[in-house]
Amino acid sequence: MPYNFKDVEESYSKKFVEIFQKHMLEQAKEGKKKFYCLEMFPYPSGRLHMGHVRNYTIGDAIARYKRLCGFDVFYPMGYDSFGLPAENAAIKHGIHPKKWTEDCISTMKQQQMLMGYSYDWSKELATHKPEYYKWNQYFFIKFLEKGIAYRKNAPANYCPSCQTVLANEQVENGKCWRCHSKVEIRQMEQWFFKITDYADRLLEGLERIDWPERIKEMQRNWIGKSSGTLVKFKLDGMDKELEVFTTRVDTIFGVTFLAMAPEHPLALELARKAGKEKEREVKEFIDKVLVEERFERTSIEKSKEGIFLDAYAIHPFTKEKIPIYVASFVLPDYGTGIVMGVPAHDARDFEFAKQHGLSIKHVVLPKDASKKLDEAKAFEEFGILADSEEFSGMSSEQAIEEITKKLEKLGLGKKAVCYKLRDWLISRQRYWGTPIPVVYCQKCGIQPVSIDELPVILPEDVKFGRGNPLATNESWLNTTCPKCKGPARRETDTMDTFVDSSWYFLRYVDNKNDAEPFDKKKVSELLPVDIYIGGAEHATMHLIYARFFTKVLKDLGYVDFDEPFAKLVNQGVVTLGGEAMSKSKGNIVDPLDVVPKYGVDALRAFILARAMPEKDLEWSDEGIEGIKRALDRITELLEFYKEKKQTNNTNNEKGEKSEKSEKSGERDEYALAKMNWLIAEYIEKFERLNFPSVIFSLFDFVKAISKHKEKLSLAVLHSCLHNLAILLNPITPYLSEHIWHEIGNDGYCSLAEMPKPNEALMKQEFLVEDNYIGSLIADIQEILELIKKKEKAEKEQKSIVVVIADNWKHEVAKLISNCKNVAEAIERIKQSQYANKLEEISKAITNLLNIKPLDEDKEYRIVSRNKEFLEKEFKAKVILLREKEAVEYMKYKEKAKRALPLKPVIIFD
Ligand code: ANZ
Ligand code: ZN
């Protein structure tokens, strides 16, 4: 009877929910080592897609494995349930975001339960619930007290289509990350978190965590630490200085202009001085540049745009007059917002100089003097200084040091470090998020809501459409000032949802606490998270914000560690036809279509077997069918065992004192050796998360055991199935529980203990045997192919004759086994008792050198043990002969002599 996965999956999925919840409670008492397994919680879109399934299947496999290995595993799940799509659904379909979100959560949760994930659902959380976001507000107020949260007027990326402000990270090449419409710049009062204060600690912490190097590098680039020099240029005719930030102060004698960001306050001031016309021109330019995006502004093509301000600065060394420009390529919020232009050594400056007719002064020459300078472009490398007063002749490296020193002495410069990282803009002019807990009082200004008034509940009665719905609920909007009790208005901005996901892994630990965000002691017992699994798309934003948040919480005394995720695994994407699955491409395989057809277990095993976690995974129907067949082979083995047991029982009942059932099987030792190798291999590979290899080993074991199942004793069959059930549990939990139950175990396999490999049973000879038979099968297949090709017509093979080499050949192989080369081997043979055999085997010496010799009898026994199996495999009779027997037959004689140790002659007869 075929295994009915549907019934099994249905019955156990409900039990799983129960047992893992209960298990967690019991575990806590036992003082086991804790393990925190975490997956990036999903945005509840309403349907699990393949990416989710891959993410959680990897996580669940690890959680189950660690549990079997005796860890007290903490494995929670929750929902990142604030965010735009819910609000868009409200606008489009008139469903309230709360209802939409909660419906989505409940369907997704059902699907996660069906997938057999072993979450402790009692730890569930959803960030849109007041009992969660209350603590976002609490932390906001704490951050405000410490100056980590602050408000400032800032140009913001504004998406006209989503009608919201976006963080820089949410702008991709000038477009909105969600809807891809062009982003505009607007000035407004906004809330920020001072992440820039943590730039160095965010860099340093990367050295202490086990994350993919690729992700660390992306974070380093994001933080963008740059060491250089600040140089002051006096303004000609004014008592003012302009400061520039440069990484190439060695090029200072090549400066032919200064350029200032249009947003720089001095830009308009200087323009005004130059007259009405200039002021108008510059104003226009500023308005134009403001709506352009960083990426665009700094690109080489755009770099030429700028306006001369009719003003000059004085070179700190040469005292020359240097013209000052406003230029779009200069960003207002990097360095000082002013750059020194060195056209000869910077490509952007070069383009700018050509456009504006500025001179180009070469002051750094190639180190290799024979190299000619290409006058048509900037020479950007380090080199040797020229025309640079006393610094001429120095290398760039040395000149940077020396020039900086001199500037310091003159009081005109100093070493400096700059970061690309900007403060985290957390304000969103959106409804479906955490209300920022401050009020505006006419008397007292900005006032935080008092802690015991929290949470500021998001009002449900609002109008959706355009702008910020929060501004449409007057009764919510009007409140009293916590300080003077006079009338005040609430802040209508809500928080970026990345705030929600910056600490949810802490809340899981203590998700019902209503007195504080979490208990510090409980959290320090479990964190840092031992393994965090999620997509690489979160390399910067979420993973930097969560690290930042944790560092702040440490500084404020809420936690005693500062890196939240000790190890990170980024699973690759799931592709179809080589492209990531996406709705727009229409290449989606829906897990909900796959499950009814192949079962949860097949889907899980396919996902794990198909690719290493961090690699992309190509979907394949044949692939999952192959996995399904391999799982069927396991249930066949189980059915075989059950029948055999049944027969034994009946025999026993009949009173036949069944010696047979007691007797150990002919192949028991082999099976036990295989089983213990499997366990050892499995553990070793699982630790490295090499799931494809783990699953290959499992299936390989099942094949090997099935081959000889008739010759195994009941006890050994039972033991194999028992361990198989445990080893399968992280991968195919339903089949695992089914086997566990069917072979007569109580309780749940999911809570069993990982077997330990028994070295004493891992006999080497069986490993030799497996390799031997494997290559014998391959050889036979190869010859069959050849025959087929030659004879064209299919010819029935009656028998396969296998001839085992004479023992003296084994002896020779042993004799020369440690020779370095053929010449040495020949020499050794010449001096031995086998000198007279040299001619006979001279052609085979290379072969002999490459094997681990056995002896004739052992080799004979290996084949004889596998005779039946080979006959089944090839549907032909197998005749096993020793070389000396075979040469007695005229028709085999010539061929038989060619038999070599471990390389028997194969004759089709
Ligand atoms: C003169 C110079 C000469 C520069 C040269 C480079 C090459 P990183 O490495 O990314 O930190 N820069 C400084 N502030 C800027 C701003 N606000 N907007 C645009 N560009 C700015 O880059 C540092 C270099 O970027 C600085 O060094 C400056 O140009 C430019 F042969 O100064 B350099
Ligand atoms: Zn007030």
Side-chain angles (χ1 to χ4, degrees):
M1 206 188 61
Y3 165 67
N4 186 340
F5 63 80
K6 273 182 198 143
D7 291 351
V8 172
E9 287 170 4
E10 201 167 297
S11 80
Y12 279 103
S13 69
K14 291 191 190 84
K15 287 177 200 151
F16 280 161
V17 174
E18 219 174 280
I19 65 170
F20 290 113
Q21 201 161 312
K22 212 171 110 212
H23 178 67
M24 285 299 303
L25 290 174
E26 286 160 7
Q27 286 291 293
K29 292 178 209 135
E30 287 179 28
K32 285 183 181 173
K33 231 181 131 190
K34 293 186 187 295
F35 188 89
Y36 191 164
C37 182
L38 180 69
E39 292 141 10
M40 289 180 186
F41 68 163
Y43 178 79
S45 56
R47 226 174 146 80
L48 280 197
H49 57 63
M50 238 5 134
H52 291 128
V53 170
R54 187 172 190 204
N55 189 173
Y56 313 144
T57 299
I58 292 168
D60 186 55
I62 296 169
R64 285 174 174 275
Y65 170 79
K66 284 287 173 183
R67 216 176 272 124
L68 295 172
C69 290
F71 286 84
D72 175 3
V73 176
F74 186 67
Y75 185 44
M77 175 47 66
Y79 301 92
D80 191 9
S81 44
F82 269 143
L84 275 180
E87 207 168 331
N88 291 341
I91 295 166
K92 257 197 191 158
H93 310 296
I95 312 165
H96 195 278
K98 184 171 170 212
K99 169 148 179 45
W100 187 84
T101 301
E102 291 182 353
D103 287 351
C104 284
I105 289 178
S106 93
T107 47
M108 250 164 128
K109 189 171 163 181
Q110 286 310 313
Q111 292 164 20
Q112 287 170 313
M113 286 175 172
L114 175 66
M115 286 303 298
Y117 301 139
S118 57
Y119 302 125
D120 173 0
W121 285 105
S122 71
K123 298 293 174 187
E124 183 184 348
L125 60 79
T127 58
H128 76 284
K129 302 216 162 150
E131 60 264 33
Y132 184 83
Y133 69 69
K134 168 181 178 177
W135 303 110
N136 283 345
Q137 295 173 339
Y138 172 89
F139 285 135
F140 179 91
I141 292 168
K142 296 286 163 195
F143 285 19
L144 197 61
E145 285 166 10
K146 294 281 169 195
I148 292 162
Y150 69 95
R151 201 167 112 100
K152 75 171 176 196
N153 194 283
N157 305 301
Y158 186 82
C159 171
S161 149
C162 297
Q163 298 178 352
T164 191
V165 171
L166 302 168
N168 287 336
E169 296 90 324
Q170 293 171 326
V171 180
E172 291 165 351
N173 294 343
K175 309 233 161 78
C176 171
W177 70 316
R178 277 241 154 92
C179 75
H180 306 291
S181 42
K182 206 164 147 56
V183 171
E184 298 170 357
I185 305 291
R186 286 196 185 176
Q187 290 284 341
M188 45 178 92
E189 287 284 312
Q190 315 210 54
W191 290 99
F192 287 83
F193 283 164
K194 226 169 175 359
I195 191 172
T196 50
D197 273 3
Y198 286 78
D200 270 323
R201 283 170 66 188
L202 286 167
L203 278 177
E204 176 276 324
L206 291 174
E207 307 307 316
R208 292 182 275 121
I209 48 184
D210 179 10
W211 285 23
E213 198 43 50
R214 195 169 55 94
I215 304 294
K216 289 191 192 179
E217 201 46 34
M218 284 168 82
Q219 296 214 343
R220 284 187 198 108
N221 289 335
W222 191 262
I223 296 163
K225 183 174 183 171
S226 175
S227 301
T229 315
L230 285 170
V231 186
K232 284 178 186 161
F233 286 72
K234 289 215 162 70
L235 258 176
D236 187 32
M238 268 200 270
D239 190 20
K240 257 197 180 129
E241 284 165 340
L242 296 186
E243 201 169 25
V244 306
F245 172 72
T246 176
T247 47
R248 290 294 305 275
V249 77
D250 57 317
T251 65
I252 195 162
F253 289 89
V255 173
T256 59
F257 67 97
L258 293 190
M260 179 180 290
E263 297 94 329
H264 198 289
L266 257 179
L268 258 183
E269 198 182 320
L270 291 177
R272 219 166 271 143
K273 270 206 150 78
K276 275 255 156 350
E277 182 55 22
K278 192 57 81 178
E279 186 184 353
R280 194 192 50 79
E281 202 186 338
V282 170
K283 252 192 182 151
E284 236 168 55
F285 183 64
I286 294 173
D287 287 343
K288 182 167 106 48
V289 172
L290 271 181
V291 296
E292 283 175 2
E293 192 269 325
R294 296 172 82 82
F295 175 81
E296 213 177 334
R297 278 173 65 165
T298 52
S299 77
I300 256 287
E301 291 75 36
K302 275 271 176 181
S303 63
K304 300 166 198 153
E305 292 176 8
I307 297 172
F308 179 45
L309 286 172
D310 276 350
Y312 295 88
I314 305 296
H315 192 285
F317 293 118
T318 66
K319 308 297 177 202
E320 272 173 286
K321 279 170 75 175
I322 313 278
I324 305 171
Y325 284 74
V326 279
S328 61
F329 77 82
V330 186
L331 299 171
D333 53 0
Y334 185 63
T336 62
I338 309 175
V339 304
M340 58 181 219
V342 187
H345 304 292
D346 180 276
R348 261 180 345 209
D349 297 353
F350 185 86
E351 292 300 319
F352 191 85
K354 280 206 317 198
Q355 180 74 19
H356 299 273
L358 295 157
S359 60
I360 299 173
K361 261 194 220 165
H362 289 271
V363 293
V364 178
L365 302 174
K367 280 187 182 163
D368 178 357
S370 66
K371 247 196 194 160
K372 279 236 343 250
L373 258 184
D374 182 355
E375 303 266 332
K377 61 177 214 240
F379 174 71
E380 295 191 302
E381 290 161 43
F382 276 3
I384 304 293
L385 268 69
D387 294 329
S388 300
E389 297 183 354
E390 75 256 44
F391 307 102
S392 301
M394 284 185 188
S395 68
S396 289
E397 292 90 338
Q398 194 191 356
I400 288 175
E401 291 294 312
E402 297 302 325
I403 293 175
T404 305
K405 261 190 219 156
K406 176 118 187 235
L407 285 167
E408 262 164 28
K409 229 187 262 160
L410 296 171
L412 291 174
K414 57 174 183 234
K415 275 192 187 171
V417 171
C418 275
Y419 299 90
K420 297 237 156 62
L421 186 68
R422 303 274 72 95
D423 274 342
W424 176 10
L425 168 63
I426 63 148
S427 280
R428 293 293 177 277
Q429 290 68 42
R430 274 281 166 181
Y431 168 71
W432 196 233
T434 305
I436 291 178
V438 298
V439 303
Y440 297 95
C441 168
Q442 275 180 352
K443 254 196 253 154
C444 320
I446 300 170
Q447 288 297 321
V449 174
S450 75
I451 296 271
D452 42 77
E453 294 288 317
L454 296 182
V456 175
I457 301 255
L458 189 66
E460 287 185 28
D461 180 22
V462 294
K463 287 190 192 66
F464 297 99
R466 304 193 69 75
N468 185 346
L470 278 183
T472 67
N473 184 322
E474 286 293 324
S475 70
W476 179 82
L477 208 56
N478 295 314
T479 180
T480 49
C481 167
K483 204 168 167 191
C484 72
K485 307 292 170 210
R489 274 175 89 79
R490 288 195 190 278
E491 169 66 87
T492 55
D493 283 0
T494 54
M495 294 182 203
D496 180 2
T497 57
F498 279 114
V499 175
D500 311 348
S501 53
S502 285
W503 68 283
Y504 73 107
F505 44 91
L506 301 168
R507 180 68 182 175
Y508 273 145
V509 176
D510 200 11
N511 65 338
K512 307 225 165 44
N513 197 333
D514 58 10
E516 48 185 351
F518 47 79
D519 179 80
K520 184 174 179 179
K521 191 167 153 284
K522 280 188 196 160
V523 160
S524 60
E525 275 171 14
L526 263 165
L527 277 103
V529 169
D530 291 280
I531 193 161
Y532 193 27
I533 308 139
E537 68 273 18
H538 292 296
T540 47
M541 298 191 250
H542 162 56
L543 287 172
I544 283 198
Y545 295 146
R547 293 181 60 225
F548 157 68
F549 219 91
T550 306
K551 288 176 199 301
V552 177
L553 293 188
K554 182 174 184 203
D555 291 352
L556 300 186
Y558 290 94
V559 298
D560 51 13
F561 51 89
D562 75 340
E563 283 295 339
F565 314 122
K567 184 180 169 71
L568 176 73
V569 173
N570 280 128
Q571 89 270 2
V573 297
V574 186
T575 64
L576 183 65
E579 288 205 70
M581 288 185 183
S582 81
K583 262 195 202 137
S584 59
K585 291 201 196 91
N587 62 340
I588 303 239
V589 180
D590 191 326
L592 290 182
D593 296 337
V594 176
V595 165
K597 199 162 164 200
Y598 299 103
V600 168
D601 281 343
L603 176 57
R604 291 176 56 125
F606 169 78
I607 281 177
L608 294 171
R610 185 77 173 171
M612 289 288 280
E614 63 276 12
K615 291 272 181 329
D616 290 348
L617 181 154
E618 171 72 9
W619 182 265
S620 141
D621 288 335
E622 297 87 70
I624 194 165
E625 272 158 24
I627 294 282
K628 184 78 182 66
R629 277 195 301 276
L631 296 182
D632 288 344
R633 218 170 293 140
I634 300 175
T635 49
E636 277 160 29
L637 189 65
L638 175 66
E639 291 310 312
F640 175 83
Y641 164 79
K642 278 160 59 188
E643 269 166 41
K644 184 162 169 147
K645 192 170 172 201
Q646 190 64 44
T647 332
N648 261 36
N649 286 349
T650 11
N651 287 349
N652 283 347
E653 275 159 27
K654 276 189 203 147
E656 290 171 17
K657 181 129 180 41
S658 155
E659 245 166 68
K660 256 195 220 151
S661 69
E662 240 67 76
K663 205 177 78 182
S664 74
E666 239 176 84
R667 302 256 56 199
D668 279 359
E669 266 188 76
Y670 168 81
L672 290 172
K674 284 295 264 186
M675 186 178 83
N676 284 284
W677 271 316
L678 171 69
I679 298 167
E681 242 174 60
Y682 177 101
I683 292 171
E684 189 244 330
K685 287 168 178 168
F686 216 114
E687 289 293 333
R688 289 186 284 118
L689 307 186
N690 188 346
F691 302 119
S693 194
V694 161
I695 293 169
F696 178 84
S697 299
L698 276 167
F699 288 171
D700 194 54
F701 169 74
V702 173
K703 239 194 246 167
I705 298 304
S706 303
K707 220 155 69 176
H708 302 285
K709 59 180 185 276
E710 278 90 3
K711 293 181 180 164
L712 299 180
S713 68
L714 253 187
V716 166
L717 261 175
H718 180 275
S719 165
C720 286
L721 282 164
H722 179 92
N723 286 328
L724 202 53
I726 301 173
L727 301 186
L728 281 170
N729 190 272
I731 299 148
T732 57
Y734 293 115
L735 179 56
S736 153
E737 293 293 355
H738 176 68
I739 297 172
W740 185 258
H741 185 80
E742 292 289 293
I743 62 174
N745 286 318
D746 287 335
Y748 293 93
C749 188
S750 299
L751 306 180
E753 220 176 281
M754 182 63 70
K756 291 192 178 53
N758 181 344
E759 305 248 352
L761 295 174
M762 291 152 71
K763 291 195 181 146
Q764 212 52 38
E765 59 179 284
F766 295 118
L767 202 57
V768 174
E769 170 171 341
D770 271 8
N771 290 337
Y772 184 97
I773 296 299
S775 72
L776 182 61
I777 290 173
D779 287 349
I780 296 174
Q781 267 160 355
E782 201 182 313
I783 298 171
L784 274 174
E785 286 296 313
L786 280 178
I787 294 177
K788 238 199 247 165
K789 262 192 210 146
K790 243 197 226 153
E791 303 188 347
K792 282 184 186 122
E794 197 85 8
K795 215 178 87 182
E796 248 333 91
Q797 295 306 326
K798 275 198 236 69
S799 48
I800 302 168
V801 183
V802 179
V803 183
I804 305 294
D806 259 345
N807 199 49
W808 70 263
K809 293 180 183 170
H810 288 267
E811 291 299 319
V812 171
K814 273 178 214 164
L815 180 75
I816 63 170
S817 66
N818 61 354
C819 289
K820 281 192 262 334
N821 51 41
V822 176
E824 196 186 326
I826 291 176
E827 223 20 68
R828 175 121 9 124
I829 296 170
K830 272 186 188 161
Q831 269 146 45
S832 73
Q833 65 188 106
Y834 303 108
N836 60 334
K837 301 276 196 188
L838 187 57
E839 211 193 307
E840 197 175 326
I841 51 160
S842 62
K843 281 201 200 111
I845 288 185
T846 324
N847 265 329
L848 293 183
L849 272 175
N850 288 328
I851 61 165
K852 265 213 174 100
L854 290 173
D855 63 41
E856 183 190 331
D857 283 346
K858 277 207 182 109
E859 190 177 341
Y860 188 90
R861 278 202 301 274
I862 287 178
V863 184
S864 115
R865 281 203 292 258
N866 286 277
K867 215 175 112 182
E868 262 175 58
F869 162 68
L870 289 170
E871 288 182 333
K872 244 197 236 159
E873 186 83 8
F874 291 104
K875 299 189 184 66
K877 195 169 155 51
V878 170
I879 301 166
L880 177 59
L881 294 174
R882 291 168 194 270
E883 188 181 332
K884 45 185 159 308
E885 297 166 349
V887 294
E888 300 292 316
Y889 299 86
M890 274 312 286
K891 56 177 176 175
Y892 300 151
K893 187 170 177 176
E894 281 315 305
K895 278 187 184 165
K897 277 202 260 175
R898 282 184 235 143
L900 288 173
L902 307 190
K903 204 79 186 135
V905 160
I906 300 157
I907 304 167
F908 288 91
D909 199 9

